[in-house]
Amino acid sequence: MALPIASRTPAPPDPVLGLTEAFRADTRPGRVNLSAGVYVDDTGITPVLPSVLAAEGRILAAQTTKVYRPIDGDAAYRTAVRDLVFGTDHEIVTSGRSATSHTPGGTGALRVAADFLAQEGSPRTVWVSDPTWPNHPAIFGAAGFRIRPYPYVRPGERHVAIDAMLEALGEAEAGDLLLLHGSCHNPTGVDPSPAEWERIGGLVERRELLPLVDFAYQGFGDGLREDASWQRAIARPGREFLLASSFSKNFALYNERVGALTVVATDRAAADSAQSHVKVTIRANYSNPPSHGAEIVTTILGDPALRAQWEVELAGMRGRIHANRRLLVAALEARRIPGDWAPIAGERGMFALLNLSKDQVRRLREEHAVYVVGAGRINVAGITATNLDPFADAVAAVVEG
Ligand code: LMR
């Protein structure tokens, strides 16, 4: 009788990955999974990138040991990630006021950030966009944070509700954590414009908030540098913030669990000190990171030819997602499904939100074997020539029927 009493009642399935589990158990022919954010090519496969295969060949040929890596990861990886995010000439890099840790995926980075910030004892508040990735409140709730939503994209709309967002954040207190999606907002695909980022940056300064930028999709929107445009508003001289990177998507290294947490402090000494506490957090959590994915990223970013190859492969994935957006809009419009679909073509990243009701989402799954997340978030990167028409037919049936 030592297990928690609550554990006698099964927990609900995960709102994202639980759908893939259900999909795998579904045997109906023609079933369609557009739930988890996983890129597939037009044959429905999630390929290993050729640049990754080439890097792995080199790593395996040179490997002599499986000894532990440093608590915060190898220095070469940490430097490579920092330079990928900021560029080598950014003030944050030249001043040395950042410290990057290798974490198991972007989720690991978020949880390390949460545990690091929770060290002070008194619970902090984290402000999360409404809507957001369901794991955001789960991660910060597990670390003891109070979760407060700020309006981001209102149901049925396809633009940032910037005035409402800033008004809600006007209630935030100094030191509150503000969770922002750096690019390719999950689940809406709607990012702030440069002018909106400016207003967000101004509010961060006025209210003395601590931004945490979730940067899981660098390169999936408009390009590696273009997707970092949030930095003009957030990475201002002397300002502190945290950054969670993921290489699940842009390197297609989903199951290698490779990501990074970067803490940006006011100066080098503060960054070094913060890093010592991040290492304590990591040590008490998973001790030190798994090495293989980070070795792949380091090898590719450190070799000009491999890096150029990877950037071409990344551009290929990005281009296919943009093309899928246009195909999706055409398929929904061809069926005259009521709704404002055209803006989806101009949105960014893996996801589009169809704004379906719970009942419509349930009917998609139960009557049409079509799996989508929440209020109709679909993984645009999962659309193929085979599943597009059955998907659009199913949406037409549940919206009109
Ligand atoms: C998603 O939102 O589908 C991805 O980030 C995968 C995940 O871990 O939820």
Side-chain angles (χ1 to χ4, degrees), residues 292-360:
H292 188 62
E295 286 184 76
I296 295 167
V297 171
T298 310
T299 303
I300 292 174
L301 294 180
D303 180 293
L306 270 186
R307 179 175 174 137
Q309 181 184 341
W310 167 65
E311 289 197 22
V312 170
E313 291 161 2
L314 176 60
M317 291 193 281
R318 182 169 63 240
R320 196 179 118 70
I321 295 171
H322 287 318
N324 277 357
R325 288 186 173 279
R326 293 188 289 272
L327 292 170
L328 173 67
V329 170
L332 297 175
E333 288 185 341
R335 287 161 179 79
R336 301 190 189 286
I337 303 171
D340 180 21
W341 310 118
I344 290 176
E347 292 169 1
R348 289 291 175 269
M350 296 185 110
F351 304 114
L353 193 57
L354 299 191
N355 291 302
L356 302 177
S357 69
K358 276 194 179 133
D359 193 52
Q360 288 168 334

Side-chain angles (χ1 to χ4, degrees), residues 1-344:
M1 300 301 278
L3 292 177
I5 292 177
S7 71
R8 288 180 215 152
T9 307
D14 182 78
V16 179
L17 300 184
L19 289 166
T20 295
E21 289 170 13
F23 174 79
R24 287 193 179 128
D26 191 334
T27 53
R28 288 174 287 178
R31 59 200 182 280
V32 176
N33 185 13
L34 296 181
S35 59
V38 174
Y39 176 87
V40 303
D41 66 17
D42 213 32
T43 66
I45 300 294
T46 303
V48 184
L49 299 183
S51 58
V52 167
L53 284 174
E56 285 185 305
R58 290 187 201 176
I59 292 162
L60 290 181
Q63 195 169 69
T64 55
T65 181
K66 294 283 188 189
V67 77
Y68 292 127
R69 311 319 302 164
I71 292 173
D72 52 357
D74 280 324
Y77 172 78
R78 297 166 50 216
T79 303
V81 171
R82 181 200 64 187
D83 293 351
L84 174 69
V85 170
F86 295 113
T88 48
D89 53 359
H90 196 285
E91 169 272 324
I92 286 173
V93 174
T94 54
S95 67
R97 66 181 186 95
S98 73
T100 298
S101 301
H102 168 194
T103 58
T107 303
L110 292 166
R111 183 58 196 259
V112 170
D115 287 344
F116 162 65
L117 294 171
Q119 280 176 10
E120 279 160 340
S122 56
R124 281 199 192 225
T125 296
V126 61
W127 293 81
V128 300
S129 67
D130 179 17
T132 195
W133 180 47
N135 217 17
H136 279 152
I139 291 166
F140 286 92
F145 277 69
R146 280 188 304 253
I147 318 283
R148 291 200 60 182
Y150 59 84
Y152 183 73
V153 173
R154 296 214 188 270
E157 295 185 350
R158 297 207 163 271
H159 59 268
V160 178
I162 188 72
D163 291 327
M165 171 178 172
L166 297 183
E167 191 185 323
L169 290 173
E171 286 179 28
E173 291 177 10
D176 280 2
L177 190 62
L178 173 58
L179 183 48
L180 298 163
H181 301 224
S183 65
C184 307
H185 184 268
N186 178 1
T188 64
V190 176
D191 291 332
S193 66
E196 289 167 343
W197 271 119
E198 273 307 304
R199 292 181 66 189
I200 295 166
L203 178 116
V204 163
E205 291 200 5
R206 277 195 310 284
R207 311 272 338 155
E208 296 178 37
L209 308 182
L210 178 64
L212 166 53
V213 179
D214 187 351
F215 203 22
Y217 302 95
Q218 186 179 6
F220 263 44
D222 291 307
L224 289 167
R225 293 304 324 142
E226 293 83 346
D227 290 356
S229 63
W230 56 268
Q231 289 175 11
R232 280 192 286 280
I234 302 300
R236 292 179 179 170
R239 305 304 302 189
E240 298 174 324
F241 64 97
L242 293 94
L243 177 72
S245 299
S246 169
F247 302 115
S248 298
K249 324 285 178 172
N250 51 13
F251 283 83
L253 286 171
Y254 302 89
N255 67 10
E256 297 295 352
R257 309 309 301 135
V258 55
L261 170 66
T262 299
V263 177
V264 180
T266 47
D267 57 31
R268 183 189 293 269
D272 290 348
S273 181
Q275 184 70 350
S276 70
H277 291 279
V278 169
K279 285 168 68 176
V280 170
T281 303
I282 292 173
R283 175 67 173 142
N285 189 332
Y286 52 87
S287 188
N288 49 74
S291 144
H292 188 62
E295 286 184 76
I296 295 167
V297 171
T298 310
T299 303
I300 292 174
L301 294 180
D303 180 293
L306 270 186
R307 179 175 174 137
Q309 181 184 341
W310 167 65
E311 289 197 22
V312 170
E313 291 161 2
L314 176 60
M317 291 193 281
R318 182 169 63 240
R320 196 179 118 70
I321 295 171
H322 287 318
N324 277 357
R325 288 186 173 279
R326 293 188 289 272
L327 292 170
L328 173 67
V329 170
L332 297 175
E333 288 185 341
R335 287 161 179 79
R336 301 190 189 286
I337 303 171
D340 180 21
W341 310 118
I344 290 176

